[in-house]
Amino acid sequence: MIHTSRACERLRHSPLFAALVCAALAHALCAPPAGAVVLRDDLNRSVTVPTDPRRIITLLPSLTETVCALGACDRLVAVGRFDDWPPSVKRLPKVGDLDEVNIERIVALKPDLVLLSTSQRVGKRLQQLGVTSFAIETDRYEDIARTVRIVGELLGVPKRAAALNERIRKAVNAVAVAARAARRGAPPTVYFEVDPAPYAAGPDSYIGGLLAKLGVRNIVAAKLGAFPLLNPEYVVRRNPDVIFVSRAQAPQLAERPGWAQMKAVREHHICAFSERVRETIVRPGPRVAEGLRAMAACLARVAP
Amino acid sequence: MPELVTSPSENPVALACRELVVGYGAHNVLDGVSLEIQTGCWTAIVGPNGSGKSTLLRALAGLQAIRGGTVWLQGRRLGAWPRRERARRLGWLAQSATATDLTAAEVVALGRFAHGGWLAHRDVDDDAAIERAMRATGSLRWAARRVSTLSGGERQRVHLARVLAVEAAVLLLDEPTTHLDPPHQEDVARLLRLQAHGCGVAVLSAIHDLSLALTADRLVVLGEHGLVGHGSVREALREDWLSLAFRTRVDVVEHDGVHLWRPAVAALPP
Amino acid sequence: MRPPGAARARIAWWLTICVAITVALTLGGLLVGTTSMHTSLRWILAPGAQSSIVLWDIRLPRTVGAWFVGALLGLAGAIAQGVFRNPLAEPYLLGTASGAALGVTVALYASGASVGALAWAAQLGLAGAAVVGACVAIVITVALARGVLQTSNLLLSGIVVGFLLSAVTSLLLLTKPQMWRTMQVFLLGSTGYLSWSSTSILAAVFLVCIVPAVLLSRGLDALTLGEDTARSLGLSLPVLRLAMLGIVCLATAAAVGEVGIVGFVGLVAPHLVRETLTVNHRHLLIASPLCGGALLQAADLVSRWIIHPAELPVGAVTACIGGAYLALLLWRRTRDA
């Protein structure tokens, strides 16, 4: 899934881990109970989090993967509806998705921490019900490392988080270096279609970040925004070397007016991934290198 | 009286009903009404509010489902007529003159629909009939104006012209004189009599104004419990049907051979 | 007793201006896109391989197709307002919009469900699914109203069917939120992919719709005098309504199938005509499509020009234009009153 949260830029720039706001700044009344710290989440809320949460619910696939990659999979008591990785989470109760969350179920499970995205509005309601929830923004490539760090902090395993980040960084670098090295000519131009409307992935989006890592040129200008609705004519005019598109749409590209004459369509320089692979590509989580590898492999095949 | 009228009751019957039952819900407005409407004769329906004048007209026009009895148009059951043939023989005027954005001429032209149907182009006969009807009702002046911009009375005359343009053998008119000032009411009365006596049309109209109704050839008098009487004006006055229908004394005086309704309030001391 | 000369001259003028605007908008449709107008002009004068594709295979069918969609909606709106004798009636009244949306959702749903279904859905296409959905909705609406005799029942039943089908659509979307973005595009309308083949389908449907509609237009005139009067004139109301609603259904389904749900055009076009002309239904049924076509062409131009090379959903643009126009109309009416 692609998250198009419209969380304000302002929030992003707030000092994130000016986190140990706790005792010194807070009034005596607000002082956290023993075994808890006050942290500021990406919705700019002061959240009192237990130092060692044991019953965690994650409402977003990438957050579930992050928690598990930090070795805390056994602390999860429930996950979101589309959370399918690692396979062990599939048998956990599903308590909702981006828009609809089963609040009753969450409360009944008595979690000591709920991790969710800034675009999920359920956080406020959970707060009223006395359930601790912590919102994390996961929109860009850079957010992966940040999320790992935050979750590591929350779980009390900062060292493991640092190690994981290092692993991710190295794996991504390896893919990126290999992709650039294998390329003979100039970097290809690429159009990544998020939806046939056509919504494209712009340079500022998470996928745009991945494309940048691979050293290819996005035909969409950054000023158009993260996921602009394009005039289809724009794609035809830019005539990208490679088109990334969903598998269902791939055979229909030639039927769009004027598209059949595009080089990428004519010569089938099209990367259409299965739903499973596509999920690893669009999910800003610890498996980023895996998705990136799939993209690099396709690029090497269609645009050597 | 024009000499054309011999004795209306002997004229051929244009429209008739037998044992007519019409109602809404659990209530029968008309229960077993039998009438004969003659060619060349103007018949007025009178009666108090709610006595079923409009219902009777709608049922005779085939616009209202009937629960019992039969309606005959020119000797043939009403329902057996093909739709357009029936519409050519039977003109109907609704009680309220609808405001439409069409021009007066276009509204009147719709009266010719039954003559041509969907695809027919308007021919010389149609044009002549439309102009005759508009001239007769004095609505020719507004031919190009939207009906919605006309006054109530003007509108009423346009709709009357539309009914006349059908050139039907039977005219069923629900309150054709509403919205009209007295001189124009009289014009309409004259027009209806002319249609009946001059053109041999069977005219049946609900008329609110009692004095105006008394200038008709025949009366159909409806009371709260159905038909009170049906006959010539003289007969109606002799039997005092009006008082029976309105359940109060209806005083009719004769002045120079003209019957006039005198409201009881006129007899009270000032 | 023909319409007097002045009125006919006015209609002739109106038609001339409308056609001139359409021609101008079509030329505009060639000029406006992801390039500057200057570049577009140069392309028209000296076309290259790619520029001729952009001009003649993308921009022209898009602007011509938008005209036909607008024309179909304008026609459907004018007919719906006549049949229901209600100036607020619009083409989507009988549940067609919700039906088409449900059709698309089901097709999307099925295409994600299995390989066999995918082939089936691709064959039918989302456009076909929309048409099927719209027609099913109309059939349910008419059945629920027990025929076409009672317009108030039809309106009510259209609303009920609209709500029910929307609810089913929402339920389906809830189980598969990935489809939501595609649905959103459909619900806001999109003229981006109008091709020559879709334009020719739209043109054929338009012909099939406008010819009988104009031939039957006198029936709608008669209907303005009231149902009883229309019947007394020898008009068969069920025949008239069935024929007219059939045309509305066909026109709306074709339009929705090609570009999704574009609101307000069908509502506003007949009003614009009535505001500027004294018309009977024959004129209205000819003028409303011209007006609707020009409206959607204009909206399409705005949608691709205002933030180019990105674009706005065309339905959002028509909603803005239409909403503003209706607000103006209302303001004038309440001020006069």
Side-chain angles (χ1 to χ4, degrees):
Chain A
M1 301 212 65
I2 289 144
H3 311 300
T4 52
S5 104
R6 292 186 193 85
C8 310
E9 286 296 302
R10 177 162 57 78
L11 289 184
R12 172 183 295 284
H13 296 306
S14 68
L16 275 159
F17 264 62
L20 299 167
V21 204
C22 49
L25 291 170
H27 299 232
L29 282 173
C30 302
V37 287
V38 175
L39 297 178
R40 196 161 280 274
D41 77 353
D42 286 356
L43 286 175
N44 213 16
R45 301 181 302 174
S46 299
V47 183
T48 308
V49 244
T51 42
D52 188 25
R54 303 313 298 187
R55 297 181 62 80
I56 301 173
I57 293 179
T58 49
L59 291 176
L60 205 64
S62 59
L63 293 175
T64 305
E65 290 192 21
T66 306
V67 169
C68 287
L70 289 170
C73 225
D74 54 335
R75 300 199 210 172
L76 290 176
V77 291
V79 292
R81 192 143 60 94
F82 300 99
D83 302 14
D84 53 1
W85 194 266
S88 63
V89 302
K90 283 187 189 164
R91 55 185 170 71
L92 290 174
K94 311 277 185 200
V95 289
D97 56 48
L98 210 51
D99 308 306
E100 288 292 324
V101 174
N102 190 340
I103 294 177
E104 220 171 283
R105 194 85 193 278
I106 292 179
V107 174
L109 284 166
K110 296 198 172 60
D112 46 15
L113 180 61
V114 176
L115 293 178
L116 41 78
S117 144
T118 44
S119 55
Q120 283 167 314
R121 286 161 303 167
V122 71
K124 198 170 183 184
R125 184 79 190 107
L126 289 175
Q127 195 175 11
Q128 290 165 350
L129 293 167
V131 175
T132 307
S133 69
F134 198 91
I136 302 173
E137 187 158 308
T138 58
D139 279 354
R140 307 189 190 200
Y141 175 77
E142 294 73 28
D143 289 332
I144 299 175
R146 214 176 52 90
T147 304
V148 167
R149 209 168 64 233
I150 296 173
V151 175
E153 202 86 24
L154 290 168
L155 297 176
V157 286
K159 283 203 182 103
R160 222 183 269 177
L164 176 61
N165 266 339
E166 189 55 22
R167 268 209 311 284
I168 294 174
R169 198 184 57 80
K170 275 188 179 149
V172 167
N173 254 353
V175 178
V177 169
R180 286 163 202 254
R183 192 173 300 135
R184 282 192 289 271
T189 52
V190 165
Y191 163 63
F192 194 110
E193 183 171 289
V194 175
D195 177 278
Y199 282 99
D204 280 346
S205 65
Y206 169 67
I207 293 160
L210 295 187
L211 293 174
K213 286 276 165 217
L214 292 171
V216 297
R217 286 177 295 157
N218 197 332
I219 62 160
V220 179
K223 68 174 162 70
L224 295 181
F227 296 102
L229 173 61
L230 288 181
N231 184 337
E233 168 192 317
Y234 181 78
V235 182
V236 174
R237 266 191 51 227
R238 287 300 160 109
N239 203 6
D241 296 318
V242 180
I243 295 176
F244 285 86
V245 69
S246 75
R247 220 167 236 192
Q249 280 296 317
Q252 285 166 31
L253 288 184
E255 281 165 32
R256 298 181 184 175
W259 286 49
Q261 279 93 336
M262 284 166 67
K263 201 171 113 247
V265 177
R266 226 172 37 227
E267 298 172 7
H268 206 78
H269 289 170
I270 294 171
C271 290
F273 300 104
S274 70
E275 200 57 30
R276 198 184 55 78
V277 177
R278 200 176 159 79
E279 278 299 301
T280 64
I281 292 175
V282 301
R283 199 177 279 181
R287 288 190 297 154
V288 49
E290 208 176 301
L292 206 57
R293 214 169 288 133
M295 290 169 81
C298 181
L299 277 171
R301 201 167 59 243
V302 302
Chain B
M1 288 265 159
E3 46 294 318
L4 261 169
V5 183
T6 43
S7 165
S9 56
E10 290 163 17
N11 287 6
V13 173
L15 184 69
C17 62
R18 297 253 180 292
E19 297 299 322
L20 191 63
V21 183
V22 191
Y24 310 95
H27 175 61
N28 279 343
V29 181
L30 301 173
D31 205 342
V33 172
S34 301
L35 289 175
E36 288 182 345
I37 310 299
Q38 279 98 359
T39 295
C41 177
W42 172 27
T43 310
I45 309 178
V46 292
N49 295 330
S51 58
K53 301 189 290 287
S54 292
T55 306
L56 176 61
L57 282 167
R58 283 169 48 85
L60 293 176
L63 298 172
Q64 173 79 46
I66 56 178
R67 292 181 171 174
T70 339
V71 179
W72 304 83
L73 172 65
Q74 297 186 332
R76 190 171 170 186
R77 284 176 70 119
L78 190 63
W81 285 98
R83 185 180 308 108
R84 284 231 301 278
E85 281 190 43
R86 184 172 87 193
R88 281 204 290 269
R89 284 165 174 78
L90 216 154
W92 186 73
L93 179 71
Q95 190 166 20
S96 56
T98 326
T100 161
D101 277 341
L102 300 175
T103 64
E106 282 167 341
V107 168
V108 178
L110 282 172
R112 302 299 292 175
F113 180 81
H115 295 263
W118 290 112
L119 306 182
H121 208 266
R122 212 197 283 168
D123 61 18
V124 194
D125 287 350
D126 294 330
D127 283 345
I130 293 165
E131 193 176 340
R132 264 199 309 277
M134 295 192 82
R135 204 175 289 285
T137 52
S139 54
L140 203 52
R141 263 176 299 158
W142 319 303
R145 279 179 60 189
R146 285 196 207 207
V147 171
S148 52
T149 65
L150 298 175
S151 75
E154 292 167 338
R155 233 177 255 174
Q156 185 73 19
R157 281 147 78 187
V158 170
H159 282 282
L160 200 56
R162 193 250 306 149
V163 179
L164 293 185
V166 178
E167 309 204 308
V170 179
L171 293 185
L172 302 174
L173 315 167
D174 201 350
E175 308 271 3
T177 53
T178 41
H179 300 300
L180 298 180
D181 48 36
H184 281 120
Q185 288 192 15
E186 201 201 341
D187 285 347
V188 170
R190 190 177 293 137
L191 188 69
L192 297 185
R193 186 187 283 182
L194 189 71
Q195 284 288 315
H197 301 169
C199 311
V201 173
V203 180
L204 179 64
S205 63
I207 299 275
H208 229 83
D209 186 306
L210 282 180
S211 299
L212 207 60
L214 290 169
T215 62
D217 301 320
R218 292 168 69 78
L219 288 184
V220 169
V221 183
L222 293 175
E224 270 171 48
H225 303 291
L227 188 64
V228 173
H230 165 35
S232 68
V233 171
R234 210 159 284 282
E235 204 177 340
L237 294 177
R238 198 172 57 231
E239 311 277 331
D240 205 12
W241 289 340
L242 294 178
S243 298
L244 289 171
F246 288 93
R247 300 175 74 179
T248 178
R249 179 153 172 72
V250 174
D251 204 7
V252 173
V253 295
E254 196 173 335
H255 181 75
D256 284 346
V258 180
H259 298 288
L260 293 172
W261 167 58
R262 188 176 64 179
V265 68
L268 292 176
Chain C
M1 298 270 70
R2 315 259 159 209
R8 278 164 72 187
R10 197 177 154 86
I11 290 172
W13 263 113
W14 193 96
L15 291 178
T16 313
I17 290 171
C18 205
V19 169
I21 291 175
T22 302
V23 170
L25 287 171
T26 309
L27 288 178
L30 279 178
L31 291 177
V32 173
T34 58
T35 56
S36 68
M37 294 215 188
H38 184 76
T39 314
S40 305
L41 263 178
R42 216 178 51 229
W43 279 0
I44 292 176
L45 298 176
Q50 198 202 38
S51 61
S52 70
I53 291 173
V54 170
L55 286 177
W56 312 119
D57 289 347
I58 299 181
R59 289 189 191 171
L60 195 59
R62 178 172 178 170
T63 195
V64 174
W67 187 88
F68 277 112
V69 170
L72 283 168
L73 291 175
L75 177 68
I79 295 177
Q81 292 177 6
V83 169
F84 292 103
R85 299 205 288 138
N86 186 333
L88 286 179
E90 50 129 11
Y92 303 140
L93 193 73
L94 295 173
T96 41
S98 334
L102 181 58
V104 168
T105 314
V106 168
L108 284 174
Y109 200 85
S111 66
S114 73
V115 182
L118 177 72
W120 167 80
Q123 195 95 50
L124 189 63
L126 293 190
V131 172
V132 170
C135 293
V136 167
I138 286 240
V139 169
I140 300 176
T141 300
V142 171
L144 197 65
R146 294 176 186 276
V148 291
L149 274 179
Q150 296 280 333
T151 41
S152 51
N153 286 358
L154 265 179
L155 283 175
L156 206 60
S157 138
I159 292 170
V160 169
V161 169
F163 272 121
L164 283 177
L165 297 187
S166 302
V168 176
T169 304
S170 304
L171 286 176
L172 283 178
L173 283 177
L174 270 181
T175 63
K176 271 201 172 186
Q178 312 90 295
M179 307 191 309
W180 179 239
R181 203 198 291 258
T182 308
M183 276 315 292
Q184 200 181 18
V185 170
F186 176 81
L187 292 175
L188 286 173
S190 159
T191 40
Y193 290 128
L194 282 167
S195 61
W196 281 124
S197 65
S198 42
T199 302
S200 47
I201 293 173
L202 288 167
V205 173
F206 180 65
L207 268 184
V208 167
C209 287
I210 187 121
V211 171
V214 170
L215 287 178
L216 298 180
S217 61
R218 269 218 290 172
L220 294 182
D221 278 346
L223 209 50
T224 64
L225 305 182
E227 293 188 6
D228 278 344
T229 303
R231 281 163 68 201
S232 81
L233 291 171
L235 195 79
S236 167
L237 288 190
V239 169
L240 176 73
R241 287 209 185 109
L242 273 182
M244 287 301 191
L245 292 184
I247 294 171
V248 170
C249 177
L250 185 61
T252 315
V256 169
E258 291 297 342
V259 303
I261 293 166
V262 176
F264 280 99
V265 174
L267 180 63
V268 166
H271 277 279
L272 262 175
V273 174
R274 274 193 291 255
E275 279 287 301
T276 46
L277 274 183
T278 305
V279 283
N280 57 31
H281 274 92
R282 194 162 63 90
H283 299 138
L284 185 67
L285 294 191
I286 293 171
S288 296
L290 290 175
C291 195
L295 257 178
L296 194 58
Q297 271 190 317
D300 175 48
L301 277 189
V302 171
S303 88
R304 50 174 139 149
W305 173 68
I306 210 158
I307 53 167
H308 74 97
E311 61 179 56
L312 295 170
V314 72
V317 178
T318 57
C320 288
I321 298 177
Y325 174 72
L326 286 182
L328 180 76
L329 210 66
L330 185 68
W331 181 73
R332 282 216 314 248
R333 190 169 292 183
T334 46
R335 185 197 53 185
D336 292 346

